[in-house]
Amino acid sequence: MDKVLQRVFSDARFIGGQPVEEFEKNFSILHNMPHCISTGNGTDSLFLILKALNLPAGAGVIVPAWGCIASAEPVSLNGLKPVFCDVHPDYYTLDPAKVVEKISPETKAIIAVHLYGQPAPVQQLKQLCEQHQLYLIEDCAQGHLTKVNGTVAGKSGVASAFSFYPTKNLGAYGDAGCVLTADDDLAERIRRLANHGALKKDDHLMEGTNSRMDTLQAAVLNVKLRYLYKWNERRKEIALQYNQLLSGIEGLILPQPAPGAEHTFHIYCIRSEARNALRKYLADNGIETAVHYPAGLPFTQAYRFLHLTPTDFPVTANLQQQVLSLPIYPDLTPEEVTYIAKTIRNFFTVSGR
Ligand SMILES: *Cc1c(COP(=O)(O)O)cnc(C)c1O
């Protein structure tokens, strides 16, 4: 890492250049996709895809109610309407049966989010999109190399958005992102939009924005990309160890991979009605946890204006009170996992929950 960073410093070129081209080439080869367009971050990647699709003003885009606000913001930022849809009670990704109910004549696209590393049901969603003439967009920010029925995330829709935020399964040393697409025209439009409407200097075909990958970030990603597969495998091992050590605890729900899924465990999300007490108990025992997410998107201050209620999103309303993310990252040791699991077991035994 020191060596490749030193080379960027001595070349003194900090946006674009050879490391960025190399990353785009390797990431598209990894997915067997014709186009990879590097961007500034994952939110921009989604923004650029929607912008390039040129949907009619006010068109509806179906977005999961449960997840990261970055999946919804790019919709509104493009003058489109986020249509929140509840998620599957066991898999936490879009539930096709509920998506059908949200489709109206104004709907133009669906954003499928591979949340926590769990692949969204892209086959069923793709079918729905074909039936109703909608675009399927994949948000792969938490789903690097996750698979369902052998299909890797990022290949099923018109385009897919990736984030390389430092904590993602593939993380840069700052913000970075990219778009994958097989559509030549869309790829060119996205590339232009990400660089002030220009493919080369001063060639402004239209207005765009500034969303490019830093050379330093590309250099970091080129090194880390070689480890992505291995690191994902390590995450899966840790998840398996948690599953074994935490099975059979009453009042505790473990993550459940969807049928045909190869979950990549960006997050290992457990659920308990005693979430807050459990979280405090773990903190008191030196174990840091997180809550992804404290509120479903329709219930955040940002979307209050839509006047949506918990009865509209029963699964989301439950999840926000129950979810807890346990430590998971490739360097976590089997001994640490054992200690965490033992502490959780103690909590449920001692508290008699
Ligand atoms: C992180 C994330 C994003 C946004 O990516 P940034 O690079 O932080 O802009 C979008 N969607 C999901 C599901 C994410 O987890």
Side-chain angles (χ1 to χ4, degrees):
M1 194 64 87
D2 288 343
K3 217 168 67 190
V4 300
L5 291 178
Q6 203 52 56
R7 189 168 316 142
V8 178
F9 294 139
S10 56
D11 287 353
R13 174 170 184 178
F14 296 109
I15 293 169
Q18 189 273 334
V20 173
E21 283 165 24
E22 184 183 327
F23 177 77
E24 290 182 342
K25 184 165 144 250
N26 287 337
F27 205 71
S28 60
I29 288 172
L30 180 66
H31 291 85
N32 193 19
M33 286 289 276
H35 304 285
C36 171
I37 304 110
S38 55
T39 64
N41 57 68
T43 312
D44 281 358
S45 300
L46 280 174
F47 172 82
L48 291 163
I49 293 169
L50 286 165
K51 183 100 187 148
L53 287 174
N54 231 333
L55 303 176
V61 178
I62 295 175
V63 183
W66 182 245
C68 176
I69 193 168
S71 304
E73 289 166 321
V75 176
S76 319
L77 284 173
N78 272 296
L80 307 167
K81 191 176 156 227
V83 177
F84 289 115
C85 180
D86 211 1
V87 293
H88 191 282
D90 300 321
Y91 313 137
Y92 317 146
T93 55
L94 274 181
D95 184 344
K98 291 173 183 158
V99 172
V100 177
E101 295 169 15
K102 296 286 179 184
I103 296 173
S104 78
E106 282 77 48
T107 312
K108 294 292 175 215
I110 298 173
I111 298 182
V113 182
H114 304 292
L115 197 74
Y116 302 158
Q118 170 91 280
V122 282
Q123 271 139 333
Q124 293 94 309
L125 293 173
K126 196 174 170 176
Q127 234 169 23
L128 275 182
C129 285
E130 279 162 11
Q131 274 167 24
H132 298 271
Q133 295 192 303
L134 313 175
Y135 289 113
L136 178 64
I137 298 163
E138 288 178 83
D139 179 342
C140 303
Q142 299 187 13
H144 308 81
L145 296 187
T146 191
K147 280 184 189 171
V148 60
N149 297 323
T151 301
V152 70
K155 296 173 65 82
S156 297
V158 65
S160 55
F162 286 81
S163 163
F164 307 115
Y165 181 81
T167 62
K168 310 288 183 180
N169 286 28
L170 178 62
Y173 285 2
D175 280 313
C178 79
V179 173
L180 290 180
T181 180
D183 183 320
D184 298 345
D185 292 336
L186 193 68
E188 190 184 312
R189 280 208 298 284
I190 292 171
R191 201 174 276 289
R192 278 187 183 278
L193 287 169
N195 186 41
H196 304 297
L199 289 180
K200 50 184 197 290
K201 200 162 165 41
D202 300 326
D203 157 45
H204 309 290
L205 203 70
M206 71 269 219
E207 277 190 320
T209 183
N210 171 2
S211 185
R212 300 170 298 215
M213 191 187 280
D214 286 351
T215 317
L216 282 168
Q217 303 306 344
V220 168
L221 291 171
N222 286 332
V223 174
K224 292 180 85 174
L225 186 58
R226 292 181 226 137
Y227 299 87
L228 175 58
Y229 179 80
K230 191 175 124 189
W231 285 337
N232 274 354
E233 290 305 304
R234 179 67 198 125
R235 283 175 184 269
K236 291 182 206 174
E237 271 173 25
I238 293 168
L240 205 64
Q241 197 189 346
Y242 273 136
N243 289 344
Q244 284 161 354
L245 297 174
L246 294 173
S247 73
I249 298 179
E250 196 160 340
L252 185 68
I253 300 171
L254 303 180
Q256 196 177 320
E262 287 177 46
H263 200 308
T264 46
F265 292 99
H266 171 61
I267 282 167
Y268 188 91
C269 169
I270 61 171
R271 281 165 60 194
S272 165
E273 287 185 10
R275 190 263 315 271
N276 292 343
L278 173 60
R279 189 171 190 206
K280 176 162 189 316
Y281 185 81
L282 292 175
D284 290 344
N285 284 279
I287 298 163
E288 186 183 356
T289 57
V291 172
H292 301 96
Y293 298 87
L297 295 176
F299 315 133
T300 58
Q301 187 68 41
Y303 293 108
R304 284 269 154 91
F305 72 96
L306 293 173
H307 300 294
L308 300 166
T309 64
T311 47
D312 299 325
F313 306 95
V315 176
T316 294
N318 261 336
L319 289 174
Q320 65 187 5
Q321 292 174 334
Q322 300 179 347
V323 295
L324 188 66
S325 307
L326 298 186
I328 192 163
Y329 47 90
D331 290 338
L332 194 67
T333 65
E335 293 72 29
E336 286 168 328
V337 175
T338 303
Y339 172 71
I340 295 163
K342 203 181 77 191
T343 311
I344 293 171
R345 211 167 256 287
N346 275 346
F347 169 80
F348 283 96
T349 317
V350 173
S351 68
R353 283 169 212 273

